[in-house]
Amino acid sequence: MEFPEIFLNTSLLAELKTPDRNIIYDVLIIGGGPAAMSAAIYAARKMLNIAIITIDFGGQVKETSEVENYLGFQNINSNELTARFEEHVKTFNLPINTGIAVNEVIKKENIFGVIMKDGTSFSGKSVIFATGEHHKRLAIPGEKELTGRGVSYCSICDAPLFVNKKVMVVGGGNSAFTTALDLSRGNAEIILVNLAKGWQADEILIQRLKNYKNVQFLELHELTGINGKDKVESVTLRNLKTNEEKIIPVDGVFIEIGNLPNSDPVRNLVNLNEKGEIIVDCVCRTNVPGFFAAGDVTSIPHKQIIISAGEGAKAALSAYEFLTLTSKT
Ligand SMILES: Cc1cc2nc3c(=O)[nH]c(=O)nc-3n(C[C@H](O)[C@H](O)[C@H](O)COP(=O)(O)OP(=O)(O)OC[C@H]3O[C@@H](n4cnc5c(N)ncnc54)[C@H](O)[C@@H]3O)c2cc1C
């Protein structure tokens, strides 16, 4: 193996057992969200020699405040839910590397090399890649600070928090219209804003939303700021035809301008679809033997915690099957 030499930064992780760079692990699990954590638990219970490599623990779940659709919990604080996942994983005392992103995954002579951003590397006979996705951001003042405090990227999760409230939805495609329709069920007052001219969603969704009385359609408008101290209080909106800017009081802002899978590190290794998602079959296999993927980074639809956790479990069982079969050949 000729992966780059390593320098282990242990300062971030004093209390954790760190992965050994001289070992070829059975499975390297990349990611620290629900998919990766579930995969870790299933792989550990199969007594596989595994290591987890992730930037952080929790993933996107940490971006919301309450979770109301995870089996067994009517309502749970997202930090508590991720803490429970993490605590469960840590009972197996697995080696974990956090704080540094994976830059690239390569395969050489049936061994995978996971190259970190700092040039260090880990080796494994198989990989479970579960790096999730990130929502495209507007990158405007207030967006980051108020995420989870009125700014949301997930109507399935957060629409129930805006019953009878005034909400802005940003975007002109199917996601924006689906979000607006979710909000309409809670009788929200909706302002739909699109930077472009017209609406890009399917006609059926457009018609459905037009049947809702409490919605205002604003094309050719740009959101330039989200304002509020501890929660969203108003937005600053610019009319692109007149260049006029005004402040509109709202309780929430849903940003639906698309998602981007975190698949960059493997774009030269596995097949991706047109969205950049890793193409997997129903048991999380990719076109590369030994390379499995799970959760939001994959082509599996319906990005949710419970789905990612289920996919992570499947990926671990598939990796186990793969290792069992290859060890016999
Ligand atoms: C604001 C918000 C609210 C939501 N609310 C809900 C809800 O109420 N209910 C629900 O079911 N779903 C909700 N979701 C969706 C849910 O969070 C995701 O479907 C789920 O977290 C996906 O899990 P995952 O493990 O696939 O990926 P992620 O949660 O995205 O985790 C990815 C992990 O990979 C790590 N990672 C990424 N890139 C790298 C890299 N290069 N190297 C190393 N590590 C990397 C990240 O640090 C992270 O730990 C919400 C999402 C958002 C954004």
Side-chain angles (χ1 to χ4, degrees):
M1 298 295 307
E2 287 169 7
F3 301 134
E5 251 319 301
I6 40 114
F7 166 71
L8 182 60
N9 179 359
T10 50
S11 59
L12 294 157
L13 293 175
E15 82 288 6
L16 292 178
K17 191 164 99 181
T18 50
D20 187 334
R21 291 163 199 276
N22 299 311
I23 286 180
I24 298 178
Y25 286 95
D26 290 332
V27 195
L28 291 173
I29 297 175
I30 303 172
M37 290 197 265
S38 174
I41 291 165
Y42 272 74
R45 286 173 55 81
K46 289 288 186 190
M47 310 289 280
L48 296 173
N49 193 10
I50 61 180
I52 302 174
I53 297 162
T54 183
I55 300 170
D56 65 1
F57 271 108
Q60 294 169 70
V61 186
K62 288 196 306 196
E63 289 185 36
T64 190
S65 47
E66 305 289 318
V67 174
E68 296 182 346
N69 53 7
Y70 195 79
L71 187 67
F73 300 99
Q74 239 174 305
N75 177 299
I76 184 162
N77 178 279
S78 63
N79 288 332
E80 192 188 335
L81 185 62
T82 54
R84 281 179 186 238
F85 289 165
E86 193 175 334
E87 198 183 312
H88 192 170
V89 170
K90 286 185 176 164
T91 57
F92 295 96
N93 196 24
L94 303 169
I96 300 172
N97 197 81
T98 65
I100 306 170
V102 169
N103 191 43
E104 193 179 8
V105 182
I106 58 173
K107 189 177 185 190
K108 233 176 174 181
E109 294 154 17
N110 288 333
I111 299 294
F112 292 93
V114 172
I115 321 285
M116 309 299 291
K117 287 270 187 209
D118 62 0
T120 63
S121 65
F122 298 96
S123 311
K125 294 177 198 162
S126 69
V127 168
I128 296 174
F129 198 80
T131 50
E133 66 177 1
H134 60 279
H135 294 273
K136 276 193 205 157
R137 316 275 160 173
L138 288 166
I140 55 171
E143 181 184 14
K144 194 170 172 201
E145 298 82 348
L146 296 168
T147 291
R149 297 169 182 193
V151 174
S152 174
Y153 302 85
C154 175
S155 67
I156 299 175
C157 330
D158 295 336
L161 306 174
F162 294 91
V163 172
N164 294 323
K165 300 262 171 80
K166 186 170 175 180
V167 187
M168 178 160 284
V169 178
V170 184
N174 282 347
S175 307
F177 275 75
T178 307
T179 293
L181 286 165
D182 282 347
L183 288 158
S184 73
R185 281 178 211 111
N187 203 32
E189 180 184 342
I190 302 164
I191 307 170
L192 186 64
V193 170
N194 194 8
L195 191 65
K197 189 167 168 49
W199 307 98
Q200 292 72 49
D202 294 342
E203 199 50 38
I204 190 164
L205 294 177
I206 297 175
Q207 286 314 320
R208 240 179 245 162
L209 191 63
K210 282 191 171 161
N211 287 336
Y212 182 59
K213 297 279 176 294
N214 216 355
V215 56
Q216 191 186 351
F217 293 87
L218 292 179
E219 57 178 351
L220 292 171
H221 277 72
E222 183 184 17
L223 195 63
T224 56
I226 304 174
N227 320 308
K229 197 161 169 275
D230 299 319
K231 61 182 180 61
V232 170
E233 289 163 18
S234 67
V235 289
T236 310
L237 196 64
R238 190 158 66 92
N239 182 326
L240 294 176
K241 282 189 252 172
T242 62
N243 228 12
E244 182 200 352
E245 247 187 17
K246 60 180 170 188
I247 293 183
I248 304 174
V250 292
D251 302 297
V253 181
F254 282 74
I255 298 168
E256 291 293 348
I257 55 171
N259 298 322
L260 295 172
N262 300 321
S263 57
D264 248 30
V266 296
R267 66 173 187 278
N268 296 323
L269 179 73
V270 284
N271 288 344
L272 308 178
N273 66 15
E274 70 290 346
K275 294 184 197 158
E277 297 165 333
I278 300 170
I279 299 171
V280 289
D281 67 9
C282 64
V283 285
C284 304
R285 288 179 301 205
T286 66
N287 63 309
V288 177
F291 188 92
F292 304 87
D296 281 13
V297 74
T298 71
S299 52
I300 295 290
H302 311 307
K303 316 297 193 195
Q304 290 285 280
I305 303 167
I306 200 155
I307 292 172
S308 283
E311 291 292 309
K314 283 195 321 195
L317 296 175
S318 293
Y320 175 71
E321 207 170 81
F322 166 81
L323 291 162
T324 311
L325 286 174
T326 48
S327 72
K328 285 182 189 151
T329 54

